[in-house]
């Protein structure tokens, strides 16, 4: 078991998943994409016909559902990888992620996942540095211009990305925030290697203290 955690937050398309995956590969650590967990709950709610505005029904579903994120995302044994970024899920996931019961269930699972990893975990999302792992070994907040973020999301429209940003920043429960002591990196126009290199350097500086 390991307590090594790199927590990464940032808005959609800021490079979190790509950077987190590359970091986990480089360090030999596990990787957890928490956005995929909220998307998986959304897929299952759509599949079961649960009303997205029914807080209790969604909360019950989230506490009972079985989610696997790697190598592909599945929910209750059903592969939903190809549905995760559909327009329907992009729209509905903000409601699901704003539900306090769903969040509580996901946060428990995220902590349980990290607690059983051998070497360490790179976790990315929106509340990882502030709520899930406020005492992470290293906290990182990634940003990028809206134009570049929309392009990175397979050309999801700037309007759609901005709508989700607004929902993420303004929701009452665990809104997206920069942790005071996070390393803040603007990834606009920068390569993955450069960003990963800077984070690893920062981790080495912490280790050598
Ligand atoms: O990172 P993503 O776009 O796949 O995230 C999907 C949605 O889930 C997005 O609206 C933000 C939300 N989310 C969240 O509220 N908390 C997290 N830890 C991860 C994602």
């Amino acid at each position: 078991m390991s307590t090594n955690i790199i927590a990464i937050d940032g808005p959609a398309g800021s490079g979190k998943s790509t950077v987190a995956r590359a970091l986990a590969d480089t360090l030999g650590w596990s990787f957890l994409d928490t956005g995929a967990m909220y998307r998986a709950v959304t897929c299952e709610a759509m599949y079961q016909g649960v009303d997205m505005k029914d807080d209790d029904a969604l909360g019950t579903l989230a506490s009972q559902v079985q989610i696997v994120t790697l190598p592909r995302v599945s929910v209750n044994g059903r592969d939903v990888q190809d549905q995760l970024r559909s327009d329907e899920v992009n729209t509905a996931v903000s409601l699901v992620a704003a539900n306090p019961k769903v969040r509580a269930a996901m946060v428990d699972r995220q902590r349980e996942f990290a607690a059983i990893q051998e070497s360490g975990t790179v976790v990315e999302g929106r509340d990882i540095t502030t709520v899930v792992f406020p005492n992470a070994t290293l906290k990182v907040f990634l940003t990028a211009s809206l134009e570049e973020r929309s392009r990175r999301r397979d050309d999801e429209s700037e309007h759609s990305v901005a709508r989700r940003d607004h929902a993420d920043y303004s929701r009452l429960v665990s809104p997206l925030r920069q942790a005071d002591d996070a390393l803040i990196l603007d990834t606009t126009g920068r390569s993955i290697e450069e960003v990963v290199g800077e984070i690893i350097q920062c981790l080495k500086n912490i280790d050598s203290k």
Side-chain angles (χ1 to χ4, degrees), residues 9-13 16-17 33-36 38-39 85 90 93-94 97-98 103 110 124-128 132 153 164 167-168 171 174:
D9 284 327
K16 296 185 304 289
S17 291
D33 172 355
T34 62
Y38 289 96
R39 287 174 184 273
R85 297 192 183 279
N90 283 340
V93 70
S94 302
R103 297 205 74 84
Q110 290 153 17
E124 58 96 347
R126 301 295 191 291
D127 60 343
I128 310 303
V132 188
R153 285 275 153 132
R164 224 166 45 254
D168 291 343
R171 69 168 172 243
S174 305

Side-chain angles (χ1 to χ4, degrees), residues 24 31 36 44 48 54 56 66 69 75 77 89 105 120 148 150 166 171 173 179 183 192-193 197:
F31 162 64
E44 185 61 15
Q48 291 189 16
D54 185 339
D56 290 336
Q66 194 202 22
T69 56
V75 54
V89 173
E148 182 145 338
S150 142
H166 177 73
R171 69 168 172 243
V173 198
L183 169 72
I192 301 164
E193 293 72 24

Side-chain angles (χ1 to χ4, degrees), residues 156-202:
E156 181 183 345
S157 74
E158 287 187 20
H159 175 76
S160 169
V161 174
R163 186 197 56 77
R164 224 166 45 254
D165 282 355
H166 177 73
D168 291 343
Y169 278 110
S170 63
R171 69 168 172 243
L172 292 175
V173 198
S174 305
L176 176 58
R177 290 270 180 277
Q178 290 179 6
D180 290 340
D181 50 352
L183 169 72
I184 298 168
L185 291 178
D186 187 334
T187 65
T188 312
R190 300 186 68 189
S191 69
I192 301 164
E193 293 72 24
E194 244 180 289
V195 176
V196 168
E198 190 167 339
I199 296 173
I200 295 216
Q201 190 52 51
C202 198

Side-chain angles (χ1 to χ4, degrees), residues 80-126:
V80 292
Q81 180 75 40
D82 297 334
Q83 268 173 264
L84 287 184
R85 297 192 183 279
S86 66
D87 290 345
E88 292 79 5
V89 173
N90 283 340
T91 305
V93 70
S94 302
L95 272 178
V96 173
N99 180 314
K101 295 182 179 120
V102 172
R103 297 205 74 84
M106 294 302 111
V107 169
D108 283 350
R109 284 158 194 240
Q110 290 153 17
R111 291 182 178 146
E112 282 162 18
F113 177 93
I116 57 167
Q117 303 309 311
E118 294 278 326
S119 39
T121 312
V122 185
V123 195
E124 58 96 347
R126 301 295 191 291

